[in-house]
Amino acid sequence: AEYMGTFVYNKMGQGESSTSSSSSFPAEKSSLVYQTFQKYGLGEVKMHILQDTVRNKTLPIKIYYPVLPLTSESTEKFPVIVFSHGSFASKDDYRVLSAYFASHGYIVIHPSHEDSILLSVSSWSGLSSTYDHLVGSSKHPRLKGMNRIWSRILNPKTWESRIQDIGLILDFISSKHIEREPSLPAALTRHIDTENISMAGHSFGAHIAMVFAGALLRLNGEMKSFRDPRVRSALLLSPPSSASMGMDVDTSFSHISCPIMVMTGTLDQFGYDPRLPFEKCPPSASPSFIDKYLVDVKGMDHDFGGISNYFTRFIGFINNPFHVALVQTSGLAFIDCHCKQEKRARDYLSSDALVQLGDGLVSFKTR
């Protein structure tokens, strides 16, 4: 395993993240942004290799984690978020989200799944050429001709491989092996809460996170459950809901059994409706304990303003700091509410602050 650390401190010894959501909103809207006092530095393990002896393969992961001031003697424990990437991405993408969450007190683990298109080429120019070969012009924002790439995404063996990847990471955490891993920094291993794990994912990654949240998946002609109780909540950024991805509209989503937040936009068009998991999942058990959320943003596309790094670089999606900031602030409120049980986060999600913050562009629903 290889460890490379990066630490960022401001003059007060408090952490800074690379991107702040509050700065992307108008000053008069600042009171509507969900924020926590940002007291952590940012650490990164750029590459760590997990060995899967059952499948005889390796799984590269990247880890973002909070760093306390050097003078701190805190025994604080940080919850874990396992993030599954979209088809074009790898562990090195989504930094704008994961660095933000880490700077607010979360350890975020990113695997590189072996189906990643990015891993099959050695450079961005190669990736663009690969895209041209597979689907036509890399500048077409609607991804015309996606059928050849879909053949990889729609292969049930690919779904199973990703599920096994996430299982390997969950075992690495819950077995507490991560706490004893000598190649990882003490600032990470001493402060990880191995019993407080959530998932997040984008696109294909949201599909996998949704499965771990309880959605049934059709494999070999049967609807199967891969619900893992170690996953306490799931942040789903454009989750696929189609039959071609093994989902049954009438049965799959009714088995979701943990808190979820679904995020999408009116330009998030990939041939499926990401809203269905929210609409079809069971409502909260108690009206006083809302735990299902839908954030739907007018004008937001599949890359949510540039969260992944790759869509904006070679496919032609548009960077939108406002959209990125909406994902940051709503996502942080969700995980603070259901990972840390923060009352302030619950109060925020029970209010209309997100709707006001969006100034007519945000639809926010709860169940």
Side-chain angles (χ1 to χ4, degrees):
E2 176 187 2
Y3 160 64
M4 299 176 66
T6 303
F7 306 95
V8 182
Y9 293 99
N10 64 22
K11 293 182 180 179
M12 298 298 292
Q14 298 161 341
E16 297 178 321
S17 110
S18 58
T19 304
S20 172
S21 66
S22 59
S23 62
S24 299
F25 296 111
E28 63 271 18
K29 298 281 189 179
S30 60
S31 63
L32 299 171
V33 180
Y34 176 76
Q35 298 183 64
T36 58
F37 180 67
Q38 214 166 311
K39 59 182 178 180
Y40 306 109
L42 175 64
E44 294 181 30
V45 177
K46 296 183 182 295
M47 173 72 83
H48 184 79
I49 302 296
L50 297 183
Q51 299 288 338
D52 188 334
T53 56
V54 174
R55 292 184 290 166
N56 191 29
K57 64 169 285 186
T58 59
L59 179 68
I61 61 174
K62 183 173 186 174
I63 308 175
Y64 299 90
Y65 60 95
V67 177
L68 293 160
L70 296 176
T71 56
S72 173
E73 296 181 1
S74 172
T75 59
E76 185 174 2
K77 295 287 187 177
F78 301 117
V80 183
I81 302 170
V82 180
F83 194 107
S84 182
H85 62 74
S87 297
F88 286 88
S90 74
K91 66 178 178 59
D92 297 313
D93 295 297
Y94 304 98
R95 188 181 194 279
V96 70
L97 285 187
S98 295
Y100 184 77
F101 293 153
S103 69
H104 287 83
Y106 291 90
I107 293 169
V108 190
I109 300 178
H110 286 254
S112 278
H113 300 294
E114 64 183 0
D115 61 89
S116 168
I117 293 171
L118 180 62
L119 296 182
S120 67
V121 294
S122 59
S123 66
W124 283 107
S125 60
L127 184 55
S128 182
S129 298
T130 298
Y131 181 82
D132 287 342
H133 174 70
L134 289 172
V135 301
S137 173
S138 63
K139 296 182 180 180
H140 198 301
R142 296 301 178 92
L143 308 180
K144 184 178 180 180
M146 273 287 286
N147 56 306
R148 292 173 188 162
I149 287 180
W150 280 124
S151 65
R152 177 183 297 187
I153 299 172
L154 302 183
N155 188 336
K157 292 183 179 179
T158 303
W159 312 338
E160 289 184 283
S161 176
R162 282 198 174 217
I163 290 169
Q164 291 168 330
D165 288 347
I166 300 301
L168 180 66
I169 295 172
L170 294 177
D171 290 344
F172 181 57
I173 300 167
S174 62
S175 67
K176 300 187 184 296
H177 182 77
I178 191 171
E179 294 180 324
R180 303 186 297 272
E181 177 53 60
S183 65
L184 294 176
L188 189 167
T189 59
R190 290 177 183 173
H191 295 281
I192 186 170
D193 185 348
T194 58
E195 297 181 358
N196 193 345
I197 307 170
S198 292
M199 274 202 71
H202 174 232
S203 194
F204 192 5
H207 177 262
I208 301 304
M210 183 166 58
V211 167
F212 275 85
L216 299 184
L217 184 66
R218 185 177 298 279
L219 285 173
N220 301 319
E222 297 181 29
M223 299 303 293
K224 295 184 178 181
S225 174
F226 294 91
R227 172 73 181 114
D228 195 314
R230 292 175 293 185
V231 175
R232 293 191 176 187
S233 62
L235 178 61
L236 310 176
L237 308 177
S238 187
S241 59
S242 62
S244 59
M245 292 290 285
M247 295 294 167
D248 182 281
V249 172
D250 296 322
T251 61
S252 287
F253 311 124
S254 63
H255 287 76
I256 291 175
S257 58
C258 72
I260 62 167
M261 174 176 277
V262 174
M263 299 193 71
T264 185
T266 56
L267 298 184
D268 182 13
Q269 300 172 5
F270 257 69
Y272 57 81
D273 186 353
R275 301 161 189 82
L276 286 178
F278 167 81
E279 294 170 354
K280 299 290 186 178
C281 72
S284 306
S286 168
S288 62
F289 189 83
I290 301 298
D291 64 358
K292 308 295 192 304
Y293 312 87
L294 172 66
V295 181
D296 198 346
V297 183
K298 185 176 181 180
M300 190 163 73
D301 61 34
H302 190 64
D303 199 33
F304 293 73
I307 62 169
S308 70
N309 302 341
Y310 60 89
F311 273 108
T312 52
R313 293 186 67 175
F314 78 98
I315 298 181
F317 282 62
I318 304 301
N319 277 312
N320 189 318
F322 176 73
H323 290 166
V324 171
L326 281 174
V327 178
Q328 288 175 326
T329 195
S330 55
L332 181 63
F334 171 72
I335 58 177
D336 268 2
C337 179
H338 295 287
C339 294
K340 295 183 178 179
Q341 287 73 53
E342 293 278 1
K343 182 180 182 301
R344 196 161 63 85
R346 183 169 299 283
D347 291 344
Y348 184 85
L349 293 173
S350 299
S351 73
D352 64 349
L354 268 176
V355 176
Q356 292 186 55
L357 187 62
D359 201 17
L361 299 178
V362 175
S363 169
F364 181 55
K365 299 179 180 180
T366 61
R367 296 191 67 194

